[in-house]
Each structure stands twice: as structure tokens, then as C-alpha cells.
Amino acid sequence: MRAELLKNPVFAMAATQFDQVADFLELNDEIRERCKWPKRLITVTVPVRHDDGSTRVYFGHRVQHHLTRGPVKGGLRFHPEVDLGEVAALAMWMNWKCALMDLPFGGGKGGLNCDPRLLSVGEKERITRRFTMEMIPFIGESIDVMAPDMGTDEQTMAWMLDTYSTHAGHLVPGIVTGKPVNLQGSAGRTRATGHGVAFLAGRALSKLDIPVRSASAVVQGFGNVGTFAAETLAAGGTRISGISDVTGAFWNDKGIPVDKAIEHVRRTGGLQGFPEADPIDPDELLVQECDVLIPAATGGVIHGGNAARLKCRVLAEAANGPTTPEADEVLRQRDEIFVIPDVLCNAGGVIVSYFEWVQNLQRFRWTEREVITRLETQLEGAFNRVLHFAGRHQLSHRTAAQAIAVHTVGDVKAQRGLFP
Ligand code: GLU
């Protein structure tokens, strides 16, 4: 299984990062092995009747990296290229994210190899419900709590909640987070990840003495995270000079009206044909001059081929795993670029998921103001911890963030001991 997982380039990347951190922490072999490998790798087949009467079998995965510090927490993605190794890597990163933020969770991730853009609403609902049924032996409010990720949203979570609750015979609100607000979702959850990215970008800019109001930003990826990051930055006075999604990339030196871009996507389904900016090559977008570059789409977009050409001052990693180890090597030499690593940068989502879960367990509701204030306090604390640790040990921000997290998890494993 080890060799099989390592064959996947994304898992190999997460494992390489872990090995570097474990070397720095001088973890003993026992703790190193127990921290590195996932506790449970679950794969199920999900047979689904399509609208045309045909039946297709999808493969669904859920990787529970560990349950040492509490239930497993992490998103479920629908994407045609999902595979077990990639899901395991994403679960490992969720693990470090939860530990860095001091949330009482282990990391998990799920994925189904379907293309949500090609499915009708009914097909998506049947896939979601059948996958949830197949997962029932392995999930629960105290075992594994899923949330939206790429290709899934609050409607997906509502179907999951309904399927699980129907099976249980009563409403179980804490079975998923990122639910619709009137179905016991949390105020502020939808915008939480993007808001957190913008908030931390602002903190990084202030460390570099760049006023947020005179800064410019490029946002690659215009889904839930990218739109809210762009909107929040623009509201603070930052000029959004470039944006992109799978349908096209656009540039406007004077600043893109983000509200109009959001409206265009709502009306047409993508950025293609957006009239308020000029088309630009998507690869070139990443290497344009800007203060903040926000990769907010898939992994691996900052690589050995473009890392040396980046012209940003802050790299805010809104996506999971956007920077390859080769690119990291280049960025290590370029200390003029301030990297906010993914496990810190995009943690706003899981932080507010934690708030949602706590509200569900207590049958209590917080206001959006309370949620956002607590979110910013938590992010600010982690940001300062990472900077302090990196400065003290002369580490990159990524290694520092992961080292704090791995140290936390390793300590708890040692304290609990090895059963039997
Ligand atoms: N999918 C999000 C992430 O990668 C959120 C996970 C959650 O809220 O549990 O962090």
C-alpha cells in the first residue's frame, strides 16, 4: 500500500513535505510512521441510475488520516480525475490544517470520480445519496464530518444530512458542515475560506509595509473561494487586476469590477466572454506583476517551470497543494516573496466548519459578526505562530506551519501511547 500511495504524484508531494518536517523535528521512527500513514482508506462503488435509464458505477473514496485528536474533518469533492492517492494527500494536509488551527479534529478527505458539470441535478442527488448510504458504517458526528470541496456545495451537504438523518430516524445536524443556513448551517460559512484568504493576504501585506488600498491582486480560480477572496479584497480597496476560471483568463490594469464578474458567471456559467477586461493567456496570468497572487483552483499550478518568473510580493495559497516541491525549492531562494502556505491560508473554511459543528452539537446559533470575529482571531493567532516559528528556526513558512502541526499530532500520539 505504501508504494501504491507513493506512486501518486500528489501523495508523493505530501509525503516529501512530511519527511522534511519529520527530519527537522527529529521524530522517532514510531511516531513518524504513525503520523505519516492514513488510519483508514475507504473505497466504495456507487451505482447510479442516469436520466437516460442507463446505470453507471462510480468509485467513491474517503480517507481518514487519523482520529487521535477527535473526529475526522474535511471536504468531499466531485471531480473526474479523483483518485485514492490524491484523496489521501488531501486528507494528510487537512490533518495538518486542523492541528495548526488547534481544532479538535483529525484530517479527512473524500472524492467521487464524477464530472458534476455533466450531471443533471437529479443525477447529482442520486450519486450523493447513494455515496452517503455506502459511507454510513464509517461516518458520524463524533467519527467523520464531511464538508463541501471542489464540485460540491451546500445542496450536496443538505442531501447528505437528509440521507443520514432518515437512516438514523432523527435529524443529525452535525453529520456535515457547510449546510444551508436555515438547515442549521452557520452564518458566514460560505464566505469563510475566501474571507480568510483575503484577511491573511492583508496581514502579509502589512508585514511588507504595502497598504491594502494601494495593492493589486490576481485571482486564479473563480469558484467559491476565489470569488469571496476577490470580493473581500476589493471591498478593502485592493485592485483586482486579473482573474480566471476554466473558461478563460482576464486582465484589466485599472481593476476588474468583481461584482460584475460574479454576475457574469451567475448568468453564463463562466468567465468566458466577460466584457469588462481583456483576455489573457491563463499561464501568463500567473506571472504578471501584482502584489498578491492567489491560486484558488487546482493543485500544482506553481511549478518548476514558472516559480522563477512569479512577479508577486505575496503568494496566498487558497487552493490545496498549489505549489510543487520543485517550485518550493525556487521560492526558498526568493525571500522577496512572502508565502502564505495552504494549510494556513485556506483554513478559514474548516475553522467555520468547526464553529458550525459546535453550534449543531449545542443546538445554539451564533451571529455572522461573532463567527467572522472568532475566525479572524483564530487565523491571526496561527499566522503569528507560523511567522514566529519560521523566524526562530530559519524555516520556510510552509515547513514551519507543518512542523507546528506535526509536532502537535506527534505529541498527542505519544501521550495516548500505542494500543495494546
Ligand atoms: N474543503 C475545505 C478544505 O479543504 C473545508 C473542509 C471542512 O470544512 O471540513 O479545507
Side-chain angles (χ1 to χ4, degrees):
M1 197 65 217
R2 290 162 206 258
E4 222 157 288
L5 283 173
L6 287 167
K7 260 188 230 149
N8 179 280
V10 189
F11 189 85
M13 175 171 155
T16 304
Q17 291 171 355
F18 174 83
D19 288 339
Q20 283 170 0
V21 168
D23 288 345
F24 164 76
L25 291 172
E26 296 176 1
L27 286 190
N28 67 40
D29 284 349
E30 182 201 315
I31 298 296
R32 183 186 285 247
E33 283 289 285
R34 288 171 64 197
C35 284
K36 182 170 177 176
W37 301 104
K39 171 60 62 191
R40 296 179 186 147
L41 299 140
I42 304 156
T43 297
V44 292
T45 49
V46 183
V48 175
R49 185 112 49 225
H50 277 238
D51 292 349
D52 64 4
S54 65
T55 301
R56 208 174 140 187
V57 172
Y58 294 92
F59 280 81
H61 308 289
R62 182 70 179 170
V63 176
Q64 302 177 336
H65 193 87
H66 78 74
L67 295 103
T68 314
R69 299 176 60 254
V72 169
K73 189 79 195 81
L76 168 68
R77 61 172 55 176
F78 286 179
H79 193 273
E81 275 139 42
V82 152
D83 86 356
L84 184 61
E86 184 194 41
V87 174
L90 292 160
M92 189 176 347
W93 284 323
M94 274 314 297
N95 212 19
W96 312 143
K97 203 185 295 185
C98 292
L100 174 65
M101 294 299 149
D102 204 17
L103 308 178
F105 293 135
K109 195 66 114 190
L112 243 141
N113 72 327
C114 64
D115 189 343
R117 285 173 310 171
L118 305 179
L119 298 168
S120 69
V121 175
E123 287 165 343
K124 267 193 270 191
E125 176 172 355
R126 292 194 290 280
I127 290 183
T128 305
R129 287 186 182 280
R130 184 61 194 249
F131 174 72
T132 309
M133 265 324 281
E134 300 294 346
M135 280 289 133
I136 278 176
F138 312 107
I139 58 176
E141 282 181 321
S142 312
I143 305 169
D144 186 343
V145 181
M146 299 199 207
D149 200 86
M150 264 162 66
T152 54
D153 56 18
E154 56 176 43
Q155 178 59 71
T156 322
M157 296 304 118
W159 290 325
M160 293 183 79
L161 171 145
D162 184 66
T163 308
Y164 189 88
S165 299
T166 303
H167 176 83
H170 56 93
L171 181 72
V172 187
I175 186 61
V176 286
T177 59
K179 303 178 286 290
V181 172
N182 56 11
L183 197 57
Q184 299 190 35
S186 176
R189 174 61 184 89
T190 317
R191 61 176 314 114
T193 313
H195 183 93
V197 171
F199 173 78
L200 290 175
R203 300 295 300 113
L205 286 170
S206 93
K207 291 276 170 204
L208 300 175
D209 284 328
I210 302 172
V212 173
R213 296 196 148 274
S214 62
S216 66
V218 167
V219 183
Q220 181 249 358
F222 212 60
N224 172 275
V225 181
T227 48
F228 281 113
E231 196 181 70
T232 312
L233 280 170
T238 298
R239 182 164 39 93
I240 309 297
S241 32
I243 53 175
S244 72
D245 70 4
V246 280
T247 69
F250 294 87
W251 183 265
N252 184 340
D253 261 333
K254 295 198 185 65
I256 289 168
V258 176
D259 49 341
K260 289 197 177 140
I262 292 171
E263 175 53 25
H264 183 85
V265 172
R266 203 190 53 74
R267 242 180 331 104
T268 68
L271 283 170
Q272 191 175 39
F274 180 55
E276 310 275 339
D278 300 321
I280 180 173
D281 180 272
D283 293 334
E284 285 307 305
L285 180 75
L286 296 171
V287 294
Q288 296 305 301
E289 195 158 332
C290 61
D291 293 306
V292 186
L293 174 62
I294 304 182
T298 47
V301 294
I302 312 291
H303 44 73
N306 62 10
R309 294 173 58 217
L310 297 187
K311 291 200 207 79
C312 59
R313 300 296 313 282
V314 175
L315 176 62
E317 296 184 346
N320 288 308
T323 306
T324 65
E326 297 76 52
D328 248 346
E329 220 28 74
V330 176
L331 291 174
R332 238 186 276 273
Q333 314 301 323
R334 297 192 61 187
D335 24 312
E336 76 278 16
I337 298 183
F338 188 113
V339 177
I340 313 174
D342 51 2
V343 290
L344 170 63
C345 192
N346 67 33
V350 74
I351 291 173
V352 178
S353 273
Y354 166 61
F355 297 160
E356 182 173 328
W357 182 72
V358 166
Q359 292 172 74
N360 292 156
L361 297 186
Q362 299 184 337
R363 304 291 192 265
F364 196 73
R365 261 168 129 54
W366 303 356
T367 63
E368 175 148 2
R369 202 193 162 112
E370 267 175 285
V371 169
I372 298 295
T373 308
R374 284 174 190 264
L375 165 67
E376 291 183 353
T377 307
Q378 202 125 352
L379 285 172
E380 171 92 42
F383 180 82
N384 290 335
R385 278 198 298 281
V386 170
L387 259 55
H388 181 76
F389 197 91
R392 200 165 123 210
H393 299 285
Q394 294 301 303
L395 296 169
S396 70
H397 292 165
R398 185 183 324 285
T399 306
Q402 294 196 2
I404 295 170
V406 173
H407 185 258
T408 304
V409 175
D411 253 10
V412 175
K413 287 209 182 272
Q415 282 158 355
R416 285 189 56 167
L418 186 60
F419 180 83

